[in-house]
Amino acid sequence: MTTTLQALKAQLQQLNDQQAAGALSPAQYEQSKAQLERRILELVVGDGEAAPRTPMRLLVLVTVFVLAVAVGGYAWKRGQGPMVEVAESAEGAEAGAVSAEQQAASDQIVAMVDKLAQRLKEQPGDAEGWTMLARSYSVMGRNDDAIDAYAKAIALRKDDASLMADYADALALKNNRNLDGEPMVWVERALKLDPKNLKALALAGVYAYDRKDYAGAIKQWEKVVQYGAPDNPFVVQFGPAIAEARAQAGLPPAAPANVPAPSAANAKTASPVAGASVSGRVVLSAALAAQAQPQDTVFVFARPASGTGMPLAVLRKQVKDLPFEFKLDDSMAMSPANALSGAGSVVVSARISKSGNAFPQPGDLMGQTAPVAVGAQGLQITIDQAVKP
């Protein structure tokens, strides 16, 4: 088993390297990663009881379980403002019916986490173990236990900015979702160690936004977009957040992005179009009108026709504004390097979000166009379908 497990972990590292080098699309990366993680999970779980001398077997399963949290999500949802929680990725966490197989997997994960906690009582100097335990507890909703585990991990690993940001997040949850006081102390320590830590920057922006320091929020969130990968789901949500903060501050939309010249590899499909935009009208199907409330958020956004990458431009409205005319252009870009004027063709979508979440949720309502050329006008988007679980 050891050789097989090492081989799978090596494959996972190679996959991460390929994704970082741009050799894989986000869809290809996520599909391949999910397959490898499932094989690791099946290998570990299918081998029966974990031997006392092989604690790594516990960590492998826990690592799979808390993968999304480890790369930076929020332990808590904000009730107000533009920020939203990154969806949890634990198996079976989505809303809806839980199959017997999913329940069995959940029970196995709980058992493994409990075993990890027991082992750490005997080996309290394992910083990696405490980190995995803390993040596991966060996903499981055991926030007080998570805080204790984070404190022990940080005591052993005093130079880990990501760990400090996670700890701040958990403390904010305990503090009625408020970053005042100790949570911000840890955010500031994290940023001192790593000024480019995405989660710490995001939390600093939330703190500024809650204090109505919209300029400060914009500054922090623009750094998230600047430093993060354009197709990172954690980064994607900050386009609407920045737009909302600018609106609250009474600022005009962001200046048009300065799109760099395309490389030789994509020059044929990504030639910048001066003054490029797409425009049209969004309407809500009468058949779905009863499923939307006037205050629900409406996102209108353009993505590359290939379906990969983050939106190139985003507009935020409310259901009460429907029907409305829209125009998307480079002033609504989420990243200067990914602007509408650099795309050849796009798909324009409209989605009603009851939660205000930048990511599709079951029960959201949506509609979209077929692929259209940048510069298209008079588009008609009818919101006529529900997002399925």
Side-chain angles (χ1 to χ4, degrees), residues 55 75 173 241 260 287 317 320 347:
L173 177 59
K317 294 273 192 178
K320 65 182 181 181
V347 172

Side-chain angles (χ1 to χ4, degrees), residues 4 28 30 41 45 61-62 75 83 101 108 123 161 185 195 212 230 239 253 279 285 287 298 306 338 365 371:
T4 304
Q28 291 171 325
E30 292 299 334
L41 177 62
V45 174
L61 180 56
V62 175
M83 293 305 300
E101 181 181 356
Q108 288 170 328
Q123 302 177 26
V185 170
K212 302 188 185 304
S279 60
S285 167
V298 181
S306 63
N338 291 273
L365 309 176

Side-chain angles (χ1 to χ4, degrees), residues 291-371:
Q291 299 183 37
Q293 299 298 317
Q295 302 302 317
D296 289 347
T297 300
V298 181
F299 292 107
V300 183
F301 52 93
R303 288 185 182 274
S306 63
T308 62
M310 70 178 183
L312 304 170
V314 180
L315 173 67
R316 182 174 176 145
K317 294 273 192 178
Q318 290 185 311
V319 167
K320 65 182 181 181
D321 300 319
L322 289 167
F324 59 78
E325 305 292 327
F326 73 89
K327 180 178 179 181
L328 302 176
D329 57 33
D330 282 355
S331 70
M332 303 168 183
M334 297 175 63
S335 167
N338 291 273
L340 193 67
S341 59
S345 60
V346 296
V347 172
V348 186
S349 303
R351 180 169 58 83
I352 296 175
S353 169
K354 297 183 179 299
S355 64
N357 198 319
F359 298 100
Q361 304 290 314
D364 286 357
L365 309 176
M366 66 170 295
Q368 64 182 28
T369 69

Side-chain angles (χ1 to χ4, degrees), residues 12-96:
L12 188 58
Q13 182 59 53
Q14 291 173 359
L15 188 68
N16 291 334
D17 292 342
Q18 290 176 339
Q19 193 269 345
L24 296 175
S25 71
Q28 291 171 325
Y29 171 70
E30 292 299 334
Q31 181 179 5
S32 298
K33 179 166 65 69
Q35 291 173 348
L36 279 174
E37 288 172 350
R38 182 175 294 276
R39 289 174 63 190
I40 293 173
L41 177 62
E42 290 172 347
L43 180 63
V44 175
V45 174
D47 194 50
E49 291 292 315
R53 296 185 180 179
T54 56
M56 181 55 70
R57 296 167 59 194
L58 303 180
L59 296 180
V60 170
L61 180 56
V62 175
T63 300
V64 173
F65 175 51
V66 299
L67 185 65
V69 177
V71 299
Y74 287 107
W76 45 277
K77 293 185 179 180
R78 290 175 42 75
Q80 302 292 333
M83 293 305 300
V84 294
E85 179 172 356
V86 176
E88 297 165 353
S89 67
E91 186 82 12
E94 295 84 358

